[in-house]
Amino acid sequence: MTTKLFGEPVRRREDARLITGRGRYLDDIGAGALAAAFVRSPHAHARIVDVDVDAALDVEGLVAIYTYEDLTGPLAEPLPVLIPHPQLTAPRTGYPLANGEVNHVGEPVVMVVATDRYVAEDAAERIAVTYEELPAVVGVDAAREARACVHEEIPDNVAARHHQETGDVEPALAVSPHTLSFTQYVERSAGMPLEGKGVHARWDADDRSLRVHTSTQASTSVRAAIAAKLQLSLDQVEVVAPDVGGGFGVKIVHPWPEELLVPMAAIALGREVKWTEDRREHFISSAHERQQRQEVSVGFDDDGRITALDVHVWHDHGAYTPYGIIVPIITATQLVGPYVIPVYRVVVESVYTNTVIVTPYRGAGRPQGCFAMERTMDRIADALGLDRAVVRERNLIQPSQFPYDHHLTFQDGRPVVYDSGDYPALLEKLKALVGWDGIDALRDDAEARGKLLGVGMALYVEGTGPGPYEGGHVQVLGSGKVLVSTGLTTQGQGHETSFAQIVSSELGVPIADVEVTTGDTRRFPYAVGTFASRAAVMSGNAIALAARGVRDKALRIAADVLEADPGDLEIADGVVQVKGTPGASIPLRTVAVLSNPLRYAFDEAAKQATQFAVQASNDQPPVTPGDAPGLEHRDYYSPIRSTFASGAHAAIVEIDPQTWEIDVVNYAVVHDCGNVVNPMIVEGQVHGGVAQGVGGALYERMAYDADGQLQNASFMDFLMPYASEVPDIVIDHQQTPSPLNPLGIKGAGEAGVIPGSAALASAIEDAVGRRITSMPISPTELYDLMRSETAERTAASGRRTGVGA
Amino acid sequence: MNLDGSAVLHGSPEAVWAALTDPAVLARTIPGCLALERVGEDSYRMDVSVGVGAVKGTYAGEVHLTDQERPKSYVMHASGAGAPGQVRATVTIELAPDGDGTVLTYSADAVVGGPVAGVGQRMITGVAKRLAAQFFTAVDAELAGAGAAPVEPRPSAAAVSSTDVEAPAAPQPQVFTGRAGVPAGTSDLRTLALGAAGGSLLTLIGVLVGYRLGSRRNQ
């Protein structure tokens, strides 16, 4: 019997360890390390006039104080612009410690190192920094108006004008039977991993090597950055991502200032140094996302088919652009979703504000794009008096149209060509799952209970698994243990389980024998990182290819021993055997021993491979030319382009017209990520995504005041949904395998969050009959909207009232 | 690392000069000075304890004065080492009359090595500035006649026969005990606290100086 675990809902092997306190997170490392704390800017925009450390000197246990003046060589230069782009014409990045100017509250100015964190914070508190305040630019509209500027030499606050078009949009709009134009907003939120960032560095002065643990999504690239910035040779630096308590994108950014400064201090002091981010630091000095102003013009015919779409987005990227214009590009290119858009033009102006940097947060520009497109569909339906599902259905790309080329350029520099999908089937499944056609009965029932009920839907297509590559290494030991490693990191996705399932299935070994290591540059030094729903696609396929390489070699060696043809052999439950010939077999662990010809025996198993034990031809060297000792293989997967997953969400909300409390009573998801490695893990990813989608739609926002002070920088004030706010989710799956990769899989990590705001805005609008043009929306805002004289009423509400009257 | 600064002292340049080159006064006024030993013409060996942060530790060092143009200027060459690291500095000191007093300006060029070099410029500068301020305050008190009763020099083990404190060119080593090295009862509390807490060659530099890490970048 073969060990086919691919596609099975195997329970996550890491969970027992993680939920019983045996996880090893960053702060569990380096108990004796010195601790770092930071003096951060209290102003959104200011010049630094003076730093006075005198009062801190009396703090017993203070070890070191660093400012910009202590940075040398490349470390004194601005942090890297990680992803340059020709349209990013005015990139700016900060310094590891502020160099004379601060551009957002929370920017690091001074690093203090002391015997423990309490002492470090006591000392930091006593350091007096004198600032000369400058006018702050807060919010996308203020940036656009440019009455003040963030960077003196960029007076219009615009870092990039990203522009793509597939035809001449203005004439196409001019001849469209109908057109609509509208403006809408999406607010800032953030991924909020429960474990913030953290860095621990240990310098071994004797062999001049640095080992850094960091709570990152990109350990190999952090390693390269540390080596470059601290002027070390790559072989002197190792970077390990330990257990990481959530990333959601914020930890793909690197090097964070702390990832350079903590190692710098460890080397300078010859001591272990650690920094663990606290929650307020995470709010004011990590990264946010989502804020956009969107101006949409759409042309369509009498049936609701889109003829032309023109979108102008202002994207608030905060004080700096370390991650380039990836989020604007994703909004621009993923906005089109599952629809045929005959002529499309998009311009995204990426603007500076004196607020925390904006880098990809789960969804990474897609929720905003989805919000623009799906709200457009709702408006077309409203204008024409059509069912919202019908308008969507009429615009869908049909299964016969794949591969479908949108003639756009994606975030990986490759064309937006959808590889596979079945969007009409998605929509049908969604309607059935949520009971779309029976909604009026629910509405009446709710009305009888004094509640307003509405339903909304949103569809998306998500480019996943972008390159350039990932690798995998699989090695069978003489003990029978199978070691698997890949360079990208894990932050809760269950890689220990899903990658082991792949190896177990490909190699024919029990999953219990498989051990998976991720994000450790000592084990696998080549990798890109965990982002853009790419781990399963990229490392999953690389590991599968590596396992296939091991299998081929094992069969070759076993064929010699068993005097059989490799083609007649199979591996099951860790044993190589001749198909249909019971007894003609050899354990894979023995094959592993024999793969490494030995002179010296160190245990019973090793004896089998020593020179007087092996029957070998005297005409052949023990290791065949071109071969290598050991039963292991390393391989890489590099895709031609991204693979495009898809899905559809629908939400039913009930609203209390007394309190305007919004209750999500039903949330339906139809999800297509190609072949599924582990459906339980995929559903878990969907659940988590929906939770963040609901948070982003109804609760979470970054409440900046006009001076750039973040007023809700704590979990007391920033409303993350609890289990009580996350609706029960019903999920249906569809599998259209990707033709682009050996396993036929597509990414699933971000999908759940993408349509949340769009679907919930649609449902709320359906319930209350007022146009929802800005998300998130709170009960207070909904109350104000309902009382507003100027709030736009939907045509559907008028028609419904008319029918009812 | 460079550091420049100045201090106003209540005394003529001549009086200031006399104080700053008097080992007994130096031993009393250098913060954290445990002992100061004359080892030759204008040369001293000293033990200093500094008690601030990572700079904390006892440093043994030497000081030699050159280019003396009494009472206008001289150059102090200092070096020292302790567990926290090593320091080498050249400090130019100039005295200029200012009414009844003297303006002392100093300009130091220091090289810091060892672990202490890693603690950050602001930290070292902060310690140095503080020690310099304490030193000049103490010197000023001496000039005002408010200094503690002179501490008699204590002969070193190698020079038990010598008691000639005043001999400017004493051929044998003489040891002057600093405030940090005498019983608490005779010592000004602030200096004692500092001395007890630690001191250094840094002190020395800090002393006459207070300096800034000449940015390594500029080298």
Side-chain angles (χ1 to χ4, degrees):
Chain A
M1 207 179 85
T2 51
T3 326
K4 273 291 177 199
L5 290 178
F6 188 100
E8 295 299 315
V10 177
R11 289 182 79 88
R12 287 167 39 119
R13 309 163 79 207
E14 47 272 82
D15 284 354
R17 179 171 60 82
L18 295 175
I19 65 179
T20 56
R22 284 177 290 139
R24 190 162 158 273
Y25 297 92
L26 194 282
D27 202 38
D28 295 322
I29 294 165
L34 297 175
F38 288 84
V39 177
R40 297 181 184 276
S41 172
H43 301 296
H45 196 191
R47 278 191 198 94
I48 298 170
V49 177
D50 183 49
V51 178
D52 182 358
V53 304
D54 188 60
L57 299 177
D58 294 319
V59 175
E60 184 68 31
L62 171 67
V63 174
I65 297 173
Y66 302 102
T67 57
Y68 175 77
E69 288 76 23
D70 295 304
L71 309 183
T72 59
L75 199 54
E77 295 165 9
L79 293 164
V81 178
L82 287 170
I83 309 174
H85 190 286
Q87 291 175 346
L88 177 58
T89 50
R92 289 294 179 277
T93 50
Y95 295 84
L97 291 168
N99 178 17
E101 183 176 326
V102 285
N103 285 302
H104 67 85
V105 171
E107 191 164 355
V109 178
V110 183
M111 178 168 73
V112 176
V113 179
T115 47
D116 66 36
R117 179 64 175 262
Y118 299 99
V119 173
E121 294 208 3
D122 285 352
E125 195 177 276
R126 294 180 178 211
I127 292 172
V129 183
T130 309
Y131 297 92
E132 177 191 332
E133 283 188 68
L134 298 168
V137 179
V138 180
V140 67
D141 283 331
R144 187 167 155 258
E145 287 157 18
R147 272 191 225 112
C149 60
V150 176
H151 302 288
E152 207 174 356
E153 63 287 1
I154 309 172
D156 61 358
N157 290 316
V158 177
R161 276 190 187 80
H162 180 62
H163 173 217
Q164 298 204 36
E165 61 184 29
T166 65
D168 215 344
V169 78
E170 280 159 25
L173 280 173
V175 301
S176 294
H178 307 274
T179 58
L180 282 171
S181 292
F182 57 94
T183 300
Q184 57 185 17
Y185 290 87
V186 179
E187 246 297 355
R188 271 189 179 225
S189 186
M192 285 299 143
L194 284 188
E195 184 202 24
K197 306 198 301 281
V199 188
H200 170 267
R202 182 200 318 251
W203 171 249
D204 185 327
D206 295 328
D207 71 5
R208 302 191 57 73
S209 68
L210 180 70
R211 187 190 304 164
V212 177
H213 283 81
T214 177
S215 189
T216 184
Q217 295 174 225
S219 49
T220 53
S221 198
V222 171
R223 178 193 188 206
I226 289 173
K229 285 291 192 178
L230 299 183
Q231 295 178 287
L232 297 168
S233 168
L234 196 62
D235 65 284
Q236 290 176 281
V237 184
E238 297 293 353
V239 174
V240 183
D243 284 325
V244 174
F248 308 114
V250 65
K251 296 174 185 175
I252 192 63
V253 181
H254 64 276
W256 286 101
E258 299 87 356
E259 287 176 323
L260 301 174
L261 296 169
V262 169
M264 177 198 82
I267 295 171
L269 300 171
R271 303 273 303 273
E272 286 179 52
V273 180
K274 181 167 77 174
W275 167 75
T276 307
E277 186 177 61
D278 69 26
R279 188 52 56 182
R280 179 171 164 77
E281 285 184 296
H282 188 78
F283 269 99
I284 63 173
S285 60
S286 284
H288 303 161
E289 214 222 283
R290 305 270 199 260
Q291 188 174 52
Q292 288 184 354
R293 171 193 168 102
Q294 306 179 330
E295 293 183 359
V296 179
S297 292
V298 62
F300 51 98
D301 65 17
D302 294 340
D303 295 327
R305 286 194 178 83
I306 289 178
T307 50
L309 182 64
D310 189 14
V311 180
H312 195 157
V313 174
W314 279 269
H315 170 81
D316 164 15
H317 63 236
Y320 302 110
T321 54
Y323 215 73
I325 55 170
I326 290 299
V327 176
I329 294 172
I330 296 175
T331 294
T333 53
Q334 300 264 262
L335 187 145
V336 290
Y339 306 112
V340 174
I341 309 292
V343 183
Y344 175 52
R345 177 172 72 181
V346 60
V347 174
V348 186
E349 306 209 33
S350 197
V351 295
Y352 287 104
T353 58
N354 289 113
T355 54
V356 172
I357 58 168
V358 165
T359 63
Y361 153 38
R362 194 181 200 174
R366 296 179 188 86
Q368 300 95 310
C370 182
F371 187 62
M373 187 75 250
E374 293 296 311
R375 301 300 291 141
T376 300
M377 289 294 171
D378 287 343
R379 285 184 185 251
I380 293 170
D382 194 51
L384 296 177
L386 291 171
D387 184 294
R388 289 167 289 168
V390 168
V391 170
R392 285 174 169 82
E393 197 276 327
R394 287 175 181 168
N395 283 286
L396 289 176
I397 296 163
Q398 297 301 304
S400 59
Q401 293 178 276
F402 290 96
Y404 186 85
D405 189 347
H406 268 296
H407 301 287
L408 298 168
T409 302
F410 197 41
Q411 61 147 324
D412 54 2
R414 303 279 171 140
V416 178
V417 176
Y418 292 175
D419 48 334
S420 65
D422 186 347
Y423 309 143
L426 272 183
L427 184 56
E428 280 310 307
K429 281 176 189 255
L430 183 73
K431 285 171 65 182
L433 198 60
V434 79
W436 185 264
D437 292 329
I439 208 71
D440 284 338
L442 293 177
R443 204 190 306 276
D444 292 344
D445 174 63
E447 195 177 330
R449 289 182 284 110
K451 298 285 178 65
L452 302 170
L453 183 140
V455 66
M457 66 161 57
L459 280 61
Y460 67 90
V461 173
E462 179 198 5
T464 69
Y469 72 88
E470 287 297 335
H473 180 253
V474 175
Q475 179 177 22
V476 182
L477 302 183
S479 63
K481 185 185 283 186
V482 181
L483 301 181
V484 179
S485 64
T486 186
L488 59 61
T489 62
T490 298
Q491 48 279 161
Q493 297 92 337
H495 293 159
E496 279 180 58
T497 305
S498 48
F499 292 160
Q501 283 179 257
I502 290 170
V503 171
S504 170
S505 298
E506 293 287 342
L507 198 52
V509 295
I511 193 169
D513 289 345
V514 183
E515 283 187 13
V516 177
T517 301
T518 62
D520 185 337
T521 62
R522 297 170 299 184
R523 290 288 302 278
F524 206 99
Y526 288 96
V528 183
T530 301
F531 59 93
S533 304
R534 71 192 293 279
V537 178
M538 301 301 304
S539 284
N541 279 292
I543 287 168
L545 294 172
R548 289 174 190 181
V550 168
R551 185 175 185 277
D552 289 347
K553 183 168 186 177
L555 294 185
R556 189 153 40 83
I557 295 167
D560 266 0
V561 176
L562 297 172
E563 297 177 333
D565 187 279
D568 294 334
L569 300 179
E570 63 183 5
I571 310 177
D573 290 330
V575 176
V576 189
Q577 60 187 37
V578 181
K579 288 178 203 162
T581 311
S585 66
I586 178 173
L588 193 61
R589 63 171 187 275
T590 307
V591 175
V593 170
L594 296 177
S595 72
N596 181 22
L598 294 174
R599 181 176 178 84
Y600 309 113
F602 43 85
D603 61 14
E604 284 303 314
K607 279 184 190 170
Q608 301 171 82
T610 52
Q611 55 201 14
F612 299 109
V614 174
Q615 301 288 320
S617 163
N618 287 330
D619 302 331
Q620 290 291 326
V623 177
T624 310
D627 210 345
L631 185 50
E632 62 179 320
H633 192 72
R634 183 184 303 270
D635 214 331
Y636 295 87
Y637 172 62
S638 182
I640 185 120
R641 67 179 76 94
S642 296
T643 173
F644 289 82
S646 56
H649 291 203
I652 298 177
V653 300
E654 262 187 30
I655 295 166
D656 183 334
Q658 301 296 312
T659 63
W660 300 99
E661 180 79 22
I662 302 159
D663 187 13
V664 183
V665 295
N666 190 0
Y667 200 100
V669 174
V670 185
H671 187 258
D672 186 348
C673 60
N675 291 336
V676 172
V677 182
N678 183 325
M680 188 189 290
I681 286 178
V682 168
E683 291 203 2
Q685 290 289 325
V686 171
H687 284 176
V690 169
Q692 286 186 309
V694 168
L698 301 179
Y699 304 105
E700 299 170 357
R701 72 179 67 227
M702 291 296 167
Y704 274 106
D705 69 10
D707 297 317
Q709 298 291 337
L710 186 57
Q711 298 186 306
N712 62 340
S714 82
F715 279 166
M716 290 291 286
D717 303 304
F718 177 84
L719 299 181
M720 297 233 293
Y722 296 161
S724 48
E725 279 76 44
V726 177
D728 289 336
I729 303 159
V730 288
I731 302 179
D732 196 0
H733 290 280
Q734 172 173 301
Q735 295 195 16
T736 51
S738 172
L740 298 181
N741 62 70
L743 297 177
I745 56 184
K746 302 177 177 183
E750 297 168 277
V753 78
I754 295 169
S757 280
L760 285 164
S762 182
I764 295 165
E765 185 172 288
D766 184 47
V768 302
R770 299 292 194 286
R771 193 76 69 199
I772 307 295
T773 59
S774 180
M775 290 295 273
I777 187 163
S778 67
T780 306
E781 288 164 323
L782 185 55
Y783 171 75
D784 290 340
L785 184 72
M786 298 309 291
R787 282 165 52 100
S788 166
E789 297 288 327
T790 56
E792 184 190 351
R793 288 164 192 270
T794 62
S797 75
R799 281 190 289 271
R800 202 181 296 144
T801 312
V803 170
Chain B
M1 175 185 298
N2 298 301
L3 188 89
D4 303 318
S6 65
V8 177
L9 298 169
H10 297 88
S12 66
E14 184 61 41
V16 171
W17 181 282
L20 290 179
T21 54
D22 178 347
V25 173
L26 290 176
R28 285 197 301 272
T29 53
I30 291 173
C33 181
L34 299 168
L36 185 144
E37 181 184 2
R38 193 202 307 266
V39 292
E41 177 71 23
D42 298 322
S43 293
Y44 307 95
R45 193 150 50 218
M46 59 195 295
D47 294 321
V48 178
S49 170
V50 168
V52 188
V55 190
K56 182 181 292 185
T58 299
Y59 297 73
E62 290 181 5
V63 180
H64 180 58
L65 307 183
T66 65
D67 304 288
Q68 301 187 40
E69 289 186 38
R70 185 166 186 151
K72 280 160 45 185
S73 69
Y74 62 96
V75 177
M76 181 180 73
H77 306 271
S79 65
Q86 313 90 41
V87 183
R88 191 177 70 246
T90 303
V91 188
T92 303
I93 290 152
E94 294 180 346
L95 305 176
D98 178 37
D100 293 339
T102 298
V103 174
L104 178 152
T105 56
Y106 57 86
S107 174
D109 182 8
V111 178
V112 180
V116 74
V119 304
Q121 295 180 44
R122 298 269 173 177
M123 177 100 168
I124 293 177
T125 308
V127 172
K129 276 182 185 162
R130 175 181 291 193
L131 295 176
Q134 287 169 349
F135 172 70
F136 288 122
T137 301
V139 168
D140 209 32
E142 290 275 344
L143 291 168
V151 177
E152 287 301 311
R154 178 168 55 80
S156 74
V160 282
S161 64
S162 172
T163 54
D164 186 2
V165 186
E166 301 304 319
Q172 289 102 356
Q174 292 173 310
V175 174
F176 301 84
T177 306
R179 295 191 174 200
V182 302
T186 65
S187 179
D188 126 39
L189 280 179
R190 201 173 69 140
T191 307
L192 176 70
L194 183 89
S200 90
L201 208 278
L202 255 197
T203 308
L204 220 209
I205 302 217
V207 156
L208 310 173
V209 192
Y211 58 90
R212 269 189 322 164
L213 276 168
S215 94
R216 278 168 278 173
R217 208 165 29 256
N218 296 339
Q219 289 184 354

